[in-house]
Amino acid sequence: MLKQVYRIIILIIIFIASLYYFGKDIKEVVFSIDNTTSMEEATFPLVTLRTEGEIINLLHGYSSNLDANSIREALTPIGAGQSYEVIINQNEYDIKKLNYELRNFTHNELIEKGSVSVFDVDGDIKTAKINISTELMKDKEYAVKITLITSESRKIYYYHRLRKYDNTYLTDKLDFVMGFHESIKDKVKAEEYIRYLEPDGKKDNTSLANINIHSSFDLITWGNLNPEFITEVIPTVVENYTDIASVALEYIVRANVSGIPELYKVKEYYRIRYSSDRIFLLNYERRMEALFDIELASVSKSQLKLGITNDPSTAYLSSPDKKKFAFVRSRELWFYNLEDNEIVRVFSFRQEDTDYIRDIYDQHDIKILNMDAEGNIDFMVYGYMNRGQYEGRVALVMYEYIRSDGRIEEKVYIPLDEPYQTLKENIGAFAYVNSLDVFYFHIYNSIYAYDLITRQIAELADNTRKDDLVAFYDEGYVAWQESSNPRDASNIKIMDIETGDIQMISADRGYKILLLDKIDSNLIYGYVKEDDITTLIDGTPMTPMSRIEIATTGRDVLKPYYKEGYLITGIEVENNTIELFRVREEIIDGRKTFIPLSNDYIMNQSIEKTPYLNATTRVTENSLTEYYLELPSGFVMEELPNKLFTVNTVISEDPTLRLPKNKNYFIEDGTVLAGHNQYYTYILGELEGSYDEASDAITLADAGVGVVVSNLNSLVWERGVKANRNVINRFEEIELSSTQNTIDSCIKLLANYLGKSIDNISFDLRNISVYEILVRNLDVQPIRLTGATLDQALYYVSKGRPIIAMTGYNDAVLIYGYDAYNVFMIDPKQGKTIKLGIQDSTQLFEEAGNVFLSYLSQ
């Protein structure tokens, strides 16, 4: 018995000794104030520019060394003296030197570089003068990169565009803009500007969120809001020509409408025309967004106040038990625990000691990726980093919010080499972190799976564009077309995002399969014969599908669609209806041609889902329409939620992940290959959309008074700068002879105009498109304008660039001029130049499908 006791005592001693010995090497992970930190405040200098005696263009600094022509942030007009000043508000830095690079905006070729090390000093403000020695071409756009070098040899980059003019008339233009801006603060003073307004009784005058030239005088003069302007207003020149200018003003105002001061971010946009007699206001817009503040929540109605806003939609994600949710508002991530009535500001660049400029700079966004039952959240921040250790960088950073510790931990940092404006167009909607710690994301047409534990990355797809992927988060699946090139699209892959298992829907031999969209929790895809994949005469890709199917993510076909003699060129899903765009195939002069037919429809049984959160409105006398977010039914907010803040985890491992080079387009011999062009529409100085077809981008720019730029930074189209008349006289001096091969003739006339003789080359237009001929034989970048109106297309003629315009399936004319009444063109079939009235011309080209081709500026 005693031996047994001794044995037990000895075993206990051994156990305790083992715990001590092995425990020395076990690292206990306890997070305290010692290994967490607060985000560092914004430190970078702010830069403004002085030109023609005017201070314009507030620029934010980058620590990412981007291409000079990648940012369309601001335009600086300069006069014949070719000089301007850089005004540096140093803030926390001591600037010792300024370097600058002047580059061709389209191709980013270096033209001139220089440096300045002698500054004019006034307190914390240093001013440097840049003198451009290279003789600049008038009205040509250049890119400038300014590099500030600090006393610690740190480099901070600033970007803007530059144009030279005989006379900018900048002072007159800005005097009008700032005069208008100041006057509308006072209804009496604003009366002198009434004559510039165009009030429309049909305009909605119940909201201050979006005001324009057609709004009521009362709303343009701020109604009853009586805002306090708390930031300096510095005009940003967005576009400028000798007579026309587009100017943006951005600032913060405060208004006390509910007993608690509320903050709003405001952007005004002016488009004006200068003449020696007066200034004309062509367009005026003012957009206003309330900054989210939990203190403004409505306790009595259990609602969060969104306030005055253009976009009440709020991205959110709830926990499985529906008792917790995360949401993004004003570029801040919040977590709300309904059980404890506790809200946490999980992530924000906004700081307590704010200047309302650097920390709330809006060139980034936040996406919620996942939330577990405990309320831990995976999320990503992408774009320009306003402050912290990555201040000034453009990146994608993925974080985890650990609720129990009240901290966020950086899991991966991906540096990127383009500004937020284009980055947001190149990031796909699919991003997710699963329970195995695999981070899935879609960027630059590639789908990646990054293991957060092993730090290994796999590329699941390398040529899948945003439109060729659909995600079903509730069902736990994502599906994509394995290649966005239809000739390589043999499979649709369906992946379980928790396990990573992939199954496929494959096309039969001789067919390709195209992922078209989704409806509810089902896929929509179509089959196209390989031999039917072609291009139209203008180079438009054509994939006429013979069969459409709707299927589950488990690959069960719910409904097929096939009708003899009909082909489907595309679909559109709206609510519970699928609209099918149909054609029939004909061979005309040896070339496949597709004749539009009536559309057909597939009705889907709608599944009603009750949203977790609802936006509702209230109308008050001072603020007019304001939005509120209704919290889930059954929850009663008895008092304002307790507000908490997170801290950042100090990590010891480098979280950097570098992706392959941006593959958003492909270049061969300096030319963007057909089918890989991208067109960006800028409105009010901001990128509003990217499109595969120039006409789609032009349509948006025309409606929003904007500009279109290609993915190689070529200027594609501008609203309101087309001359009233322009005729390329050279074409009226050409000796012509009639021919039945009108398309071939137009191609060769265009080539000769560009100094390229291809008269001896014979083109078989049954097997090659006009676009491809132009790509192969001309030293310019051709552009397909199909779908644009005649008036929109004539912009090219106004710039001295003729247009090949189709008048039928196999006939074309060359447009070389226009005036207020007529369009001037060469008709090869008649062998002469002709004039046709504007209305008759418009009808002629509309009936032929508005098929136009020209080229971008050399």
Side-chain angles (χ1 to χ4, degrees):
M1 179 69 180
L2 196 58
K3 287 183 179 180
Q4 289 290 87
V5 173
Y6 286 151
R7 282 179 182 175
I8 292 171
I9 293 171
I10 291 169
L11 287 172
I12 291 172
I13 293 170
I14 292 171
F15 176 70
I16 292 171
S18 299
L19 283 177
Y20 172 74
Y21 178 79
F22 292 107
K24 292 189 299 179
D25 294 325
I26 297 176
K27 295 179 180 177
E28 185 179 8
V29 183
V30 177
F31 286 89
S32 66
I33 194 68
D34 296 329
N35 48 17
T36 60
T37 184
S38 297
M39 185 187 297
E40 299 91 337
E41 295 194 346
T43 62
F44 277 15
L46 290 168
V47 163
T48 52
L49 307 175
R50 183 187 287 122
T51 178
E52 306 292 291
E54 301 292 332
I55 296 177
I56 60 172
N57 299 349
L58 177 65
L59 306 181
H60 291 259
Y62 286 75
S63 47
S64 296
N65 188 3
L66 308 179
D67 287 340
N69 65 344
S70 65
I71 297 181
R72 290 186 61 85
E73 191 165 336
L75 174 70
T76 305
I78 60 173
Q82 298 197 161
S83 67
Y84 64 101
E85 293 177 309
V86 180
I87 304 170
I88 307 159
N89 186 343
Q90 298 182 97
N91 294 314
E92 284 74 13
Y93 287 94
D94 180 17
I95 303 303
K96 293 297 185 183
K97 188 177 181 181
L98 178 151
N99 294 335
Y100 71 88
E101 294 178 3
L102 176 73
R103 293 179 175 270
N104 179 296
F105 194 84
T106 302
H107 304 295
N108 205 39
E109 299 155 340
L110 181 64
I111 297 172
E112 177 179 317
K113 61 181 180 179
S115 63
V116 178
S117 55
V118 178
F119 301 90
D120 292 333
V121 181
D122 183 5
D124 288 336
I125 306 297
K126 286 187 175 180
T127 303
K129 187 171 185 178
I130 294 179
N131 294 294
I132 306 296
S133 58
T134 304
E135 187 64 29
L136 303 181
M137 293 177 61
K138 294 171 187 173
D139 295 323
K140 180 179 174 63
E141 201 161 277
Y142 298 89
V144 177
K145 178 195 293 184
I146 294 171
T147 306
L148 300 184
I149 302 174
T150 73
S151 57
E152 298 172 346
S153 298
R154 180 168 190 173
K155 294 181 178 180
I156 306 173
Y157 306 96
Y158 299 80
Y159 304 87
H160 69 96
R161 293 172 290 138
L162 193 73
R163 268 189 182 180
K164 177 184 174 181
Y165 305 85
D166 282 332
N167 196 330
T168 65
Y169 302 109
L170 187 62
T171 297
D172 294 310
K173 294 170 183 174
L174 294 184
D175 282 349
F176 176 86
V177 168
M178 297 309 296
F180 188 100
H181 167 77
E182 289 296 329
S183 74
I184 59 176
K185 298 176 185 179
D186 184 308
K187 294 185 187 298
V188 175
K189 292 181 180 178
E191 288 181 357
E192 65 178 288
Y193 287 91
I194 287 180
R195 62 193 177 112
Y196 295 100
L197 305 179
E198 302 171 10
D200 185 344
K202 297 178 182 178
K203 175 75 170 70
D204 178 16
N205 285 307
T206 63
S207 173
L208 287 163
N210 195 339
I211 303 300
N212 63 34
I213 196 172
H214 303 298
S215 298
S216 69
F217 175 77
D218 183 56
L219 288 197
I220 288 176
T221 55
W222 297 95
N224 297 322
L225 192 65
N226 192 27
E228 175 192 358
F229 292 72
I230 61 175
T231 54
E232 183 182 4
V233 180
I234 297 173
T236 295
V237 179
V238 178
E239 306 293 343
N240 188 72
Y241 311 92
T242 300
D243 56 343
I244 293 176
S246 298
V247 179
L249 309 179
E250 199 165 339
Y251 49 91
I252 301 293
V253 299
R254 181 191 291 120
N256 193 336
V257 296
S258 59
I260 300 175
E262 300 183 33
L263 293 172
Y264 305 89
K265 189 160 193 174
V266 184
K267 184 169 184 179
E268 290 183 64
Y269 178 81
Y270 298 78
R271 188 172 178 85
I272 57 177
R273 175 180 285 123
Y274 169 86
S275 74
S276 57
D277 299 327
R278 58 169 289 188
I279 297 285
F280 295 89
L281 181 61
L282 304 178
N283 190 35
Y284 171 74
E285 290 197 33
R286 185 176 73 225
R287 296 179 182 177
M288 185 174 184
E289 289 289 330
L291 298 184
F292 180 74
D293 185 350
I294 191 61
E295 301 295 331
L296 299 170
S298 174
V299 174
S300 62
K301 294 194 175 184
S302 299
Q303 296 174 347
L304 303 180
K305 186 173 184 178
L306 306 181
I308 297 171
T309 178
N310 287 282
D311 184 13
S313 62
T314 301
Y316 69 87
L317 186 65
S318 61
S319 62
D321 63 6
K322 306 299 181 184
K323 294 179 180 179
K324 313 171 192 70
F325 69 95
F327 66 99
V328 177
R329 197 69 197 170
S330 301
R331 291 178 167 80
E332 297 178 320
L333 174 61
W334 294 83
F335 168 77
Y336 201 148
N337 178 8
L338 297 173
E339 284 187 306
D340 298 334
N341 195 28
E342 185 176 84
I343 194 164
V344 182
R345 193 174 76 176
V346 177
F347 186 93
S348 174
F349 283 129
R350 193 168 163 188
Q351 59 194 41
E352 290 300 317
D353 184 19
T354 177
D355 58 8
Y356 298 107
I357 299 173
R358 291 176 296 174
D359 58 326
I360 63 170
Y361 187 44
D362 59 0
Q363 296 300 294
H364 67 277
D365 209 345
I366 300 172
K367 183 176 178 63
I368 306 168
L369 306 178
N370 202 359
M371 182 198 295
D372 66 17
E374 301 303 316
N376 301 309
I377 305 168
D378 298 306
F379 65 97
M380 69 183 195
V381 182
Y382 59 95
Y384 178 92
M385 303 293 147
N386 297 17
R387 63 187 182 103
Q389 63 176 324
Y390 300 128
E391 182 178 4
R393 294 192 181 278
V394 182
L396 186 159
V397 187
M398 188 240 140
Y399 293 93
E400 180 184 7
Y401 165 57
I402 298 94
R403 182 186 165 213
S404 60
D405 296 329
R407 63 185 175 88
I408 61 173
E409 182 176 331
E410 181 185 336
K411 308 299 284 187
V412 60
Y413 162 72
I414 304 174
L416 300 168
D417 60 359
E418 66 175 334
Y420 170 71
Q421 290 291 315
T422 50
L423 172 63
K424 65 186 175 72
E425 299 298 324
N426 290 323
I427 286 185
F430 172 58
Y432 185 76
V433 176
N434 68 15
S435 58
L436 301 175
D437 280 334
V438 177
F439 173 33
Y440 296 106
F441 59 101
H442 185 202
I443 187 170
Y444 301 133
N445 302 332
S446 290
I447 305 170
Y448 294 101
Y450 181 64
D451 192 311
L452 297 168
I453 299 173
T454 65
R455 299 190 178 278
Q456 298 297 309
I457 189 167
E459 190 175 34
L460 305 179
D462 66 354
N463 185 23
T464 298
R465 307 182 75 178
K466 290 193 296 183
D467 292 341
D468 298 323
L469 179 149
V470 292
F472 306 91
Y473 292 108
D474 291 343
E475 292 75 21
Y477 288 93
V478 64
W480 67 87
Q481 185 177 307
E482 68 176 350
S483 173
S484 287
N485 183 343
R487 298 184 186 279
D488 298 328
S490 298
N491 302 290
I492 290 173
K493 296 186 176 182
I494 305 170
M495 184 178 73
D496 184 318
I497 56 180
E498 280 299 326
T499 66
D501 294 337
I502 295 177
Q503 52 186 338
M504 292 192 295
I505 303 174
S506 299
D508 293 335
R509 185 182 181 89
Y511 283 82
K512 297 299 179 182
I513 185 169
L514 307 179
L515 180 59
L516 303 175
D517 208 329
K518 67 177 180 178
I519 189 164
D520 291 332
S521 57
N522 303 310
L523 301 166
I524 310 171
Y525 53 86
Y527 294 98
V528 56
K529 289 182 180 179
E530 291 181 6
D531 293 342
D532 283 346
I533 299 173
T534 185
T535 56
L536 301 182
I537 191 70
D538 64 342
T540 300
M542 179 61 71
T543 53
M545 294 165 284
S546 56
R547 181 182 177 89
I548 300 291
E549 290 182 351
I550 303 172
T552 68
T553 52
R555 300 182 294 174
D556 297 322
V557 176
L558 302 177
K559 183 176 181 60
Y561 177 94
Y562 169 81
K563 289 190 177 180
E564 184 71 33
Y566 290 87
L567 298 170
I568 299 101
T569 57
I571 69 167
E572 186 171 304
V573 178
E574 185 171 352
N575 299 323
N576 65 330
T577 302
I578 305 170
E579 185 175 9
L580 306 165
F581 303 105
R582 305 186 303 172
V583 297
R584 76 168 184 270
E585 180 184 315
E586 287 188 10
I587 304 296
I588 299 178
D589 291 340
R591 187 179 185 92
K592 281 187 180 181
T593 304
F594 298 92
I595 311 300
L597 301 174
S598 62
N599 297 344
D600 203 356
Y601 300 87
I602 300 174
M603 305 299 292
N604 183 63
Q605 186 172 356
S606 179
I607 301 175
E608 293 293 332
K609 291 184 179 180
T610 303
Y612 182 74
L613 301 174
N614 281 299
T616 186
T617 60
R618 300 187 205 173
V619 179
T620 64
E621 183 180 353
N622 293 332
S623 300
L624 299 182
T625 302
E626 295 182 295
Y627 283 88
Y628 287 78
L629 199 62
E630 292 182 332
L631 296 178
S633 60
F635 172 73
V636 177
M637 185 190 292
E638 296 179 350
E639 60 182 354
L640 282 174
N642 182 34
K643 184 167 69 171
L644 302 175
F645 302 90
T646 57
V647 291
N648 289 25
T649 307
V650 177
I651 56 176
S652 57
E653 290 185 275
D654 181 5
T656 303
L657 170 66
R658 299 190 183 278
L659 298 179
K661 184 69 176 173
N662 181 339
K663 298 179 293 183
N664 193 39
Y665 52 81
F666 306 91
I667 302 174
E668 187 175 278
D669 297 330
T671 301
V672 179
L673 297 182
H676 296 288
N677 299 298
Q678 201 74 10
Y679 301 98
Y680 298 126
T681 299
Y682 288 86
I683 298 174
L684 310 185
E686 297 181 0
L687 180 58
E688 291 295 334
S690 64
Y691 301 91
D692 296 334
E693 294 297 328
S695 61
D696 293 331
I698 290 169
T699 299
L700 179 61
D702 199 7
V705 194
V707 300
V708 179
V709 179
S710 77
N711 52 349
L712 287 184
N713 291 303
S714 293
L715 184 60
V716 172
W717 193 87
E718 304 161 280
R719 164 75 184 270
V721 298
K722 178 169 70 73
N724 294 325
R725 182 186 191 278
N726 192 55
V727 177
I728 305 171
N729 293 321
R730 187 188 308 180
F731 288 105
E732 300 198 328
E733 301 166 357
I734 296 176
E735 292 187 10
L736 301 167
S737 57
S738 62
T739 175
Q740 295 302 306
N741 196 346
T742 59
I743 300 175
D744 181 88
S745 176
C746 287
I747 293 170
K748 291 172 179 176
L749 284 167
L750 179 61
N752 286 331
Y753 175 71
L754 291 168
K756 189 97 172 189
S757 177
I758 55 174
D759 292 347
N760 295 326
I761 302 176
S762 178
F763 300 114
D764 184 359
L765 290 167
R766 295 171 299 176
N767 300 308
I768 189 171
S769 70
V770 174
Y771 184 94
E772 192 172 351
I773 292 171
L774 298 180
V775 168
R776 293 182 180 182
N777 293 278
L778 301 185
D779 298 326
V780 294
Q781 177 63 47
I783 184 168
R784 179 173 58 246
L785 300 166
T786 298
T789 65
L790 173 61
D791 184 66
Q792 291 165 347
L794 288 176
Y795 166 85
Y796 279 77
V797 180
S798 77
K799 297 297 180 182
R801 290 172 242 157
I803 298 171
I804 297 174
M806 301 298 295
T807 57
Y809 289 113
N810 285 309
D811 281 310
V813 295
L814 189 75
I815 302 175
Y816 68 88
Y818 66 90
D819 59 23
Y821 307 102
N822 298 294
V823 176
F824 300 79
M825 59 190 87
I826 292 176
D827 182 356
K829 189 168 283 188
Q830 298 184 53
K832 63 179 183 179
T833 61
I834 62 172
K835 283 194 306 184
L836 196 61
I838 290 287
Q839 290 186 354
D840 291 337
S841 299
T842 299
Q843 182 178 349
L844 172 67
F845 298 125
E846 281 181 354
E847 290 175 353
N850 276 341
V851 181
F852 304 112
L853 293 108
S854 189
Y855 59 93
L856 298 174
S857 178
Q858 301 180 72

